[in-house]
Amino acid sequence: MFLNNKNILFIAIAITFLSACGEPQSVAQQKQPKVVGAGGEPLEVAKIVPRWAAETAWLSLRADQQAALIAESDVFYDFVYSDQLEDSGITFVNRVVDDASRDYKGVHYDHGTGVSVADVDSDGILDIYFTNQVGANALWRGRGDGTFVDITENAGVGLADRISVGASFADIDNDGDQDLFVTTVRGGNVLFENDGTGRFKDVASESGLDYTGHSSGSLFFDYDNDGLLDLYVTNVGVYTTDVQGADGYMVGFEDAFTGHTKPERTESSILYHNDGDNRFTDVSESLGIVNNRWSGDLAAIDANNDGWMDLYILNMQGLDGYYENQQGKGFVDKSEEVFPRTSWGAMGIQVFDFDNDGDMDIYITDMHSDMADQVKPLLTEEKRKAIQPKYSQEFFKDNGNGIFGNTFFRNEGDGQFTEVSDEINAENFWPWGLSAGDLNADGYQDVFIASSMNYPWRYGSNSVMLNQGGNQFVDAEFALA
């Protein structure tokens, strides 16, 4: 059993969608005089608006293109989604630090926060936990009729005093209820033990999971098959200074996105062994899984079908890592052997059986590559492997093996994988988290990808990709609206 916060978690703030309305890549500089500073003073903020985004004809062009393509397919799409937020009663509002908003800079705060779902009170109804950068996180209890009630205060999981990133629910002590782990930026990660009724106790300190750093994704899985869920926590890297900004956050480096080129900013991710009694031990070094990549997320997969869960760990600024489990006694880095070429700017990952052949495949979204060069707006989702980014190998550090775009690794059933993203239409623009599920009840797993970002790159479109019989994806987000 394994649970990944981003299997059910969307990083819902992302980066620009590129369309094909034929507009040049120049931008219009506009002024926005109605922004207010911390002291109430009016501020002027330069707005960078891509001309094609300001002139929104690309939206209808995109919708028309999808309608034509989906009509030619045999995938079922005669259903729609409607916005039920107001009826749900959920009033949670995500707030971000100034580095990701008013004083926007290229720093990893702009990767946003996540959502996790579980039945916290064992009433058979799923509840929703939202993480927040500024202000409290929020736990909303499902009533079973599509409405929710805020139970954050009673549950004791607000964490208003820190900048949260992601969250994972898992039964860490095998008592039948869902406990909660929350990652933060320099505030200390938190483990909450559930008392079975949806009330939680902070046991981070005694558990050994109170690491303080730049944490992001978390994954509960049983690497040694002892019946207890172990934990892997990804740490991005040191992207903040020791200067404190408004709302208590630590101001980010101006050159945060070159941090992976500076060894002193390395922050290793951590594998924790579950020792029982809510105690965990860092076993990263002893088990040979020291990962210094700038990692935001990961997934567990039994890639070689030996009954032991292996790990695929993303790198948002470089090549990904694959570690093969040695029957719970250690891990061997087989990245270059099994996955020699990977997405250069990987952000999200989903493991699922795309073609129903009994083997688990791997879908990875790549957002940072979309920032590597000025690519003309296109309506097609052709992978841009041939682009010539403007940065040097000193920056990319991939020995030419990085793929600039999403990747889809088809499991060949013999411990080997083939990258088939172009073949199955797995590319999209400015993607972050993704989640798989059979949206149209045809027996094949479809995919939702959260895309776009905060200002000034907020002009993206989320993607819904319907699975056409395990052969390819058909873009459908406009067709289902």
Side-chain angles (χ1 to χ4, degrees):
M1 175 183 181
F2 64 92
L3 299 170
N4 185 348
N5 63 326
K6 291 179 184 172
N7 286 343
I8 49 179
L9 174 156
F10 303 132
I11 301 262
I13 337 180
I15 292 194
T16 321
F17 178 84
L18 301 174
S19 72
C21 58
E23 293 294 333
Q25 280 295 102
S26 60
V27 297
Q29 296 285 346
Q30 302 176 357
K31 292 293 183 179
Q32 173 81 4
K34 297 182 180 180
V35 178
V36 178
E41 71 281 8
L43 299 173
E44 286 193 345
V45 179
K47 294 176 64 177
I48 304 174
V49 182
R51 187 171 298 164
W52 60 265
E55 300 171 7
T56 56
W58 68 273
L59 288 166
S60 59
L61 290 174
R62 175 70 172 158
D64 291 344
Q65 185 207 38
Q66 275 195 12
L69 291 174
I70 203 168
E72 294 175 358
S73 75
D74 58 6
V75 69
F76 177 73
Y77 64 96
D78 189 19
F79 62 102
V80 296
Y81 286 96
S82 59
D83 185 352
Q84 298 294 307
L85 177 61
E86 183 174 351
D87 292 340
S88 75
I90 296 175
T91 57
F92 172 79
V93 176
N94 181 267
R95 296 178 59 209
V96 296
V97 300
D98 284 350
D99 267 9
S101 57
R102 183 177 67 89
D103 302 327
Y104 179 75
K105 66 176 65 168
V107 66
H108 298 75
Y109 283 122
D110 65 16
H111 289 184
T113 58
V115 178
S116 195
V117 176
D119 178 7
V120 301
D121 52 3
S122 303
D123 64 353
I125 301 168
L126 290 175
D127 313 300
I128 306 175
Y129 185 72
F130 298 90
T131 57
N132 212 354
Q133 285 188 357
V134 178
N137 301 338
L139 178 60
W140 288 78
R141 177 181 176 273
R143 290 186 170 121
D145 59 357
T147 65
F148 295 79
V149 59
D150 186 351
I151 61 170
T152 309
E153 185 174 354
N154 190 52
V157 292
L159 294 179
D161 62 337
R162 63 197 79 191
I163 299 160
S164 297
V165 181
S168 294
F169 283 107
D171 184 2
I172 62 167
D173 46 12
N174 293 341
D175 64 353
D177 55 48
Q178 295 295 304
D179 308 299
L180 174 64
F181 180 74
V182 182
T183 58
T184 77
V185 181
R186 296 184 66 170
N189 297 333
V190 182
L191 177 65
F192 288 107
E193 183 183 8
N194 192 339
D195 71 357
T197 69
R199 294 182 177 86
F200 294 81
K201 177 184 178 183
D202 183 347
V203 296
S205 179
E206 53 265 45
S207 72
L209 297 181
D210 56 347
Y211 173 82
T212 297
H214 300 78
S215 298
S216 180
S218 54
L219 169 74
F220 283 98
F221 74 117
D222 185 2
Y223 78 79
D224 55 356
N225 292 350
D226 67 351
L228 292 173
L229 290 175
D230 309 299
L231 174 65
Y232 195 94
V233 178
T234 60
N235 294 315
V236 175
V238 180
Y239 59 82
T240 63
T241 69
D242 292 329
V243 177
Q244 189 167 338
D247 296 314
Y249 81 102
M250 307 310 292
V251 174
F253 284 109
E254 294 289 342
D255 62 345
F257 276 94
T258 63
H260 64 292
T261 69
K262 306 176 189 301
E264 68 273 15
R265 296 190 193 173
T266 296
E267 189 172 327
S268 299
S269 298
I270 306 172
L271 173 63
Y272 294 99
H273 179 261
N274 188 334
D275 301 327
D277 296 323
N278 295 344
R279 300 293 192 274
F280 291 78
T281 301
D282 181 351
V283 294
S284 310
E285 187 171 349
S286 63
L287 293 188
I289 190 167
V290 177
N291 172 52
N292 292 328
R293 296 170 177 84
W294 282 55
S295 301
D297 204 5
L298 78 157
I301 176 175
D302 184 5
N304 55 0
N305 294 318
D306 67 350
W308 302 85
M309 299 306 294
D310 312 301
L311 290 178
Y312 190 106
I313 305 175
L314 300 186
N315 188 351
M316 63 180 67
Q317 291 171 239
L319 298 178
D320 297 338
Y322 166 68
Y323 294 85
E324 195 168 274
N325 192 336
Q326 306 299 297
Q327 298 185 346
K329 299 176 182 177
F331 288 83
V332 174
D333 186 346
K334 292 194 175 182
S335 308
E336 294 184 8
E337 178 182 336
V338 183
F339 298 98
R341 299 196 65 206
T342 67
S343 294
W344 184 85
M347 303 306 299
I349 183 170
Q350 183 75 59
V351 171
F352 65 105
D353 187 359
F354 168 72
D355 47 10
N356 289 354
D357 65 352
D359 296 314
M360 303 301 282
D361 309 297
I362 305 174
Y363 192 1
I364 295 164
T365 57
D366 175 349
M367 184 281 296
H368 278 169
S369 288
D370 289 0
M371 302 174 70
D373 199 4
Q374 291 290 333
V375 183
K376 292 183 179 179
L378 299 172
L379 265 175
T380 58
E381 267 75 13
E382 297 174 358
K383 187 173 298 293
R384 302 180 312 285
K385 294 187 180 77
I387 69 170
Q388 297 298 317
K390 58 188 177 182
Y391 305 111
S392 66
Q393 183 56 220
E394 181 182 0
F395 176 81
F396 283 111
K397 293 186 176 298
D398 64 356
N399 296 317
N401 291 321
I403 295 175
F404 296 100
N406 296 349
T407 45
F408 193 101
F409 295 105
R410 183 178 63 206
N411 192 330
E412 304 297 351
D414 56 1
Q416 297 299 311
F417 292 78
T418 302
E419 206 287 295
V420 295
S421 56
D422 287 337
E423 178 184 327
I424 68 170
N425 187 39
E427 185 58 66
N428 75 326
F429 291 106
W430 307 96
W432 293 79
L434 72 162
S435 185
D438 186 1
L439 302 180
N440 55 5
D442 67 351
Y444 289 89
Q445 296 290 297
D446 311 299
V447 172
F448 172 86
I449 303 175
S451 303
S452 182
M453 202 171 96
N454 59 344
Y455 186 80
W457 297 308
R458 62 186 177 194
Y459 307 99
S461 171
N462 296 333
S463 294
V464 174
M465 309 179 88
L466 296 180
N467 187 336
Q468 184 174 290
N471 295 311
Q472 67 174 357
F473 286 114
V474 179
D475 298 308
E477 63 269 11
F478 284 88
L480 303 181

